[in-house]
Amino acid sequence: MRYFNVEGSCNQSEHYMVRLDDRLGRIKGLLVDRKKYFVINRGRQFGKTTTLKALKQYLSNDYIVLSLDFQELGTEEFKDAETFARAFAKVFTRSFKNSGLDNLDKLLEPLTVFIEKDNAGLNDLFVRLSTLCENSPRPIVLMIDEVDSAGNNQVFIDFLAILRRYYLNREEMPAFHSVILAGVYDIKNLKLKLRPDSEHQYNSPWNIAADFDIDMSFSASQIEEMLEEYEADHHTGMDIKEVAGEIYQYTSGYPVLVSSICKQLDEKLPGTEGFETMRAAWTKQGIERAVNNILKKSSPLFESMTKQLDIYKDLRGMIEDIIYRGRKITFSPEQKSISLGLMFGFLKEDNGRVTIANRMFEMCLLNLFMAEESGGDVYAQGGSDRIGFIKNNMLDMELVLKKFVEYFTEICGQKDQKFIEKQGRKIFLIYLKPIINGTGNYYIEAQTRDERRTDIIVDYRGEQFIVELKIWHGNEYNERGEEQLTDYLEYYHKDKGYLLSFNFNKNKRTGVRKIKAGSKTIIEAVV
């Protein structure tokens, strides 16, 4: 029986996965058949290795496909050019012998002699690789996975430079038909990885690489097709289209996140309280619980995110501005922090603006930032107030707002407008976190986020609370905000919503009041 795999590369016979045929066909037709050298660089666990393995099989009728993994090479193999050249020749020869071709001894003789030779170097290696390409019965496609594991080594930069030279002169010197490198770091950023503070970071060692514009994320329809295969085996009775759409809302199709949610719904949730059956697990409520469970545990993907934000402080600052302040940042891939965020998979472009790549990443980042604030007074106040907000195991959001107004007025009542605009929403999020921690979760609705308005969706024991946070900009703007919240409540099929206004009017009336907006009730809190 197939299962959802999150621990490595996937294959169709053992795992539930989206169909890759269309993607593979485009890679072959647009890149490999056209003799392109290119880089598949995506964030951690984005399906790069799975794609390479499937592509190797897909190309095997027309090409000799040699698949290398630079994680096979230890650090000592990169200490100098001679050691690297000999190590590369060994793994290359081994891959060729696994290709299934007959009578390879003569074809590989130049490399086997090279491996035993003294004073072997990169230039000599490439002369022999060129001879092998010339004598090969079929064009050779070279694929190297985890290529950025070598990115801290100058010898690899030199290797790329010679590979580039052979590409440019391949009419005179036979070379690989196509070269595919896969990793998180794009080749143009390897210099940045070597020397992040150097002007040399912008000098690409491999500017011949063709653009790889093929979308490797999963669409909602692809997730739906995968779930149809699962449903044919398990007969849960799920609403496939609804479940696929909800999974996509949380993940934006990030492959390992999709598989992680499905694995929770298949293996972890059924039989637990509230999800006693498979049918109960494969629902919107089940997905909410699955996401909560995933975010509670450490994972290689989230650990990598934390590590990169520790290294790249400007990237972290940009992400905090987007999350807390709703700052609208114009998309420009040449800007260093944006380029890094795109490369790691944390950011994406949306209508000319920079935004967080998916809802689960944003929830993880919020959890990270909140954890760092957990030693502060605001977090402690929320924690101490918590017991009064939980009634019959449910959250009293109106009371949360009342207490927050009192607390905020006490500690921030005399702060200036600039402080409130920058910190007000952050303070509320910090206050709210310990109240729902362990039982509920929240996320910021990306479509409504801007510097004046932010909508928070709070999930607590299956109930959702829509809380709009906004900066006061006059009565007319306030009324328009109430209309927007009403429309949003209609979308979520809710009768009650919550509005937290940060008001700088000297004659403002702080406190909490109820507003009737048609059939909806809005609890407005003003600080």
Side-chain angles (χ1 to χ4, degrees):
M1 186 68 72
R2 288 188 291 168
Y3 63 95
F4 294 101
N5 178 39
V6 297
E7 293 91 17
S9 63
C10 299
N11 67 74
Q12 203 75 45
S13 63
E14 296 183 19
H15 309 122
Y16 292 108
M17 56 183 289
V18 304
R19 296 287 179 179
L20 300 179
D21 304 66
D22 180 63
R23 180 188 306 175
L24 300 178
R26 294 187 67 207
I27 295 174
K28 181 178 184 295
L30 297 176
L31 295 165
V32 176
D33 288 347
R34 296 179 179 180
K35 303 181 180 180
K36 301 296 184 182
Y37 286 24
F38 59 97
V39 182
I40 302 177
N41 74 284
R42 294 293 186 273
R44 293 289 178 206
Q45 296 182 284
F46 212 101
K48 299 182 293 295
T49 301
T50 295
T51 298
L52 287 183
K53 288 187 175 182
L55 184 62
K56 180 178 181 179
Q57 183 66 31
Y58 193 83
L59 298 173
S60 60
N61 289 334
D62 300 317
Y63 302 100
I64 296 174
V65 185
L66 302 180
S67 180
L68 282 61
D69 186 334
F70 267 8
Q71 287 188 331
E72 295 179 46
L73 303 181
T75 305
E76 65 277 6
E77 268 82 35
F78 291 93
K79 67 179 182 180
D80 56 50
E82 180 177 346
T83 304
F84 172 79
R86 187 173 284 110
F88 181 89
K90 287 179 180 178
V91 296
F92 184 92
T93 300
R94 184 165 64 246
S95 180
F96 222 116
K97 289 180 177 178
N98 291 333
S99 65
L101 294 176
D102 298 324
N103 304 317
L104 290 176
D105 289 346
K106 185 171 180 57
L107 184 64
L108 292 173
E109 184 178 356
L111 282 182
T112 54
V113 170
F114 175 84
I115 292 170
E116 302 300 327
K117 178 185 175 185
D118 293 331
N119 301 318
L122 285 175
N123 284 310
D124 190 5
L125 171 67
F126 271 90
V127 169
R128 294 165 188 272
L129 290 174
S130 178
T131 300
L132 190 149
C133 290
E134 182 178 21
N135 296 330
S136 175
R138 293 202 303 271
I140 298 175
V141 175
L142 176 64
M143 301 194 307
I144 305 178
D145 197 8
E146 301 291 348
V147 70
D148 51 347
S149 63
N152 285 326
N153 299 280
Q154 185 62 45
V155 66
F156 177 61
I157 302 296
D158 298 337
F159 171 83
L160 286 179
I162 300 175
L163 187 58
R164 174 182 180 273
R165 188 174 77 229
Y166 270 78
Y167 170 87
L168 294 173
N169 297 310
R170 57 185 173 174
E171 297 301 325
E172 292 79 30
M173 299 182 295
F176 298 115
H177 176 87
S178 178
V179 174
I180 308 168
L181 307 180
V184 173
Y185 280 82
D186 193 354
I187 292 300
K188 66 177 179 290
N189 287 307
L190 286 179
K191 288 274 186 174
L192 182 147
K193 192 177 179 187
L194 271 171
R195 289 176 283 182
D197 299 321
S198 168
E199 69 277 7
H200 296 294
Q201 63 186 274
Y202 299 108
N203 298 330
S204 172
W206 217 46
N207 56 12
I208 57 169
D211 290 335
F212 183 80
D213 296 326
I214 294 168
D215 189 1
M216 290 178 63
S217 61
F218 301 161
S219 66
S221 60
Q222 287 176 317
I223 298 172
E224 192 175 333
E225 290 173 0
M226 178 179 66
L227 293 183
E228 285 173 354
E229 294 185 16
Y230 175 86
E231 184 66 7
D233 291 339
H234 294 272
H235 311 289
T236 68
M238 76 170 89
D239 184 329
I240 294 176
K241 191 174 189 66
E242 180 183 69
V243 170
E246 190 71 7
I247 291 173
Y248 184 80
Q249 287 297 315
Y250 276 99
T251 65
S252 296
Y254 199 107
V256 74
L257 296 180
V258 172
S259 295
S260 295
I261 292 176
C262 291
K263 190 176 184 69
Q264 284 277 333
L265 301 178
D266 176 46
E267 299 179 16
K268 308 295 185 182
L269 256 64
T272 63
E273 183 181 356
F275 304 98
E276 286 76 13
T277 65
M278 294 286 283
R279 176 69 182 88
W282 288 91
T283 58
K284 291 181 70 172
Q285 293 74 25
I287 294 168
E288 176 192 326
R289 177 68 62 82
V291 168
N292 209 10
N293 290 346
I294 293 166
L295 292 174
K296 283 181 180 179
K297 290 188 174 182
S298 181
S299 72
L301 179 61
F302 296 150
E303 288 171 2
S304 174
M305 178 184 293
T306 302
K307 172 186 171 184
Q308 301 301 351
L309 293 186
D310 284 343
I311 295 172
Y312 299 103
K313 303 298 185 184
D314 289 345
L315 173 60
R316 179 193 168 109
M318 176 182 289
I319 289 174
E320 286 188 344
D321 270 355
I322 293 171
I323 290 178
Y324 287 138
R325 298 180 60 197
R327 181 183 167 201
K328 291 187 176 295
I329 299 173
T330 300
F331 179 79
S332 173
E334 288 77 24
Q335 203 275 347
K336 182 177 172 181
S337 292
I338 295 175
S339 175
L340 286 168
L342 294 171
M343 184 176 70
F344 295 137
F346 307 160
L347 302 177
K348 66 179 179 181
E349 183 271 338
D350 184 27
N351 294 321
R353 304 286 186 182
V354 180
T355 187
I356 311 301
N358 59 67
R359 185 185 294 173
M360 284 187 71
F361 276 3
E362 183 165 290
M363 294 169 77
C364 175
L365 289 163
L366 266 173
N367 287 344
L368 170 65
F369 299 155
M370 294 298 101
E372 294 173 352
E373 301 284 353
S374 60
D377 293 340
V378 178
Y379 192 94
Q381 185 68 43
S384 65
D385 290 345
R386 180 184 188 277
I387 191 169
F389 300 143
I390 311 301
K391 299 178 179 179
N392 298 320
N393 286 326
M394 293 309 300
L395 180 64
D396 187 338
M397 183 59 74
E398 183 174 349
L399 186 56
V400 171
L401 291 181
K402 285 180 180 179
K403 284 291 187 181
F404 179 75
V405 169
E406 295 174 7
Y407 177 66
F408 189 88
T409 302
E410 178 184 339
I411 66 166
C412 300
Q414 303 305 313
K415 297 290 186 181
D416 60 23
Q417 179 172 339
K418 185 175 181 181
F419 172 85
I420 302 301
E421 287 184 343
K422 186 172 183 178
Q423 300 293 337
R425 285 174 284 193
K426 178 179 179 180
I427 291 171
F428 177 71
L429 290 171
I430 296 171
Y431 180 80
L432 181 62
K433 181 62 179 176
I435 296 170
I436 63 173
N437 204 27
T439 305
N441 222 320
Y442 57 50
Y443 61 88
I444 299 172
E445 178 52 62
Q447 294 178 348
T448 65
R449 180 197 291 118
D450 60 34
E451 294 184 14
R452 294 184 173 186
R453 174 190 178 210
T454 295
D455 285 333
I456 310 296
I457 313 298
V458 179
D459 290 321
Y460 193 91
R461 291 189 178 275
E463 184 175 357
Q464 285 186 319
F465 301 88
I466 315 300
V467 186
E468 179 179 321
L469 315 180
K470 69 180 181 60
I471 306 297
W472 178 272
H473 286 278
N475 286 324
E476 182 179 347
Y477 180 81
N478 191 57
E479 291 171 1
R480 190 161 66 248
E482 292 170 4
E483 292 175 5
Q484 291 171 331
L485 179 56
T486 300
D487 292 341
Y488 209 50
L489 291 173
E490 191 69 33
Y491 173 80
Y492 270 88
H493 308 293
K494 296 292 180 183
D495 295 324
K496 182 185 287 187
Y498 303 84
L499 181 61
L500 176 57
S501 297
F502 297 92
N503 192 334
F504 308 105
N505 190 325
K506 292 182 179 179
N507 299 320
K508 67 184 176 186
R509 186 179 66 181
T510 62
V512 178
R513 63 185 180 121
K514 287 186 179 180
I515 302 171
K516 291 296 291 184
S519 62
K520 309 297 182 184
T521 299
I522 296 176
I523 308 299
E524 182 182 30
V526 178
V527 295

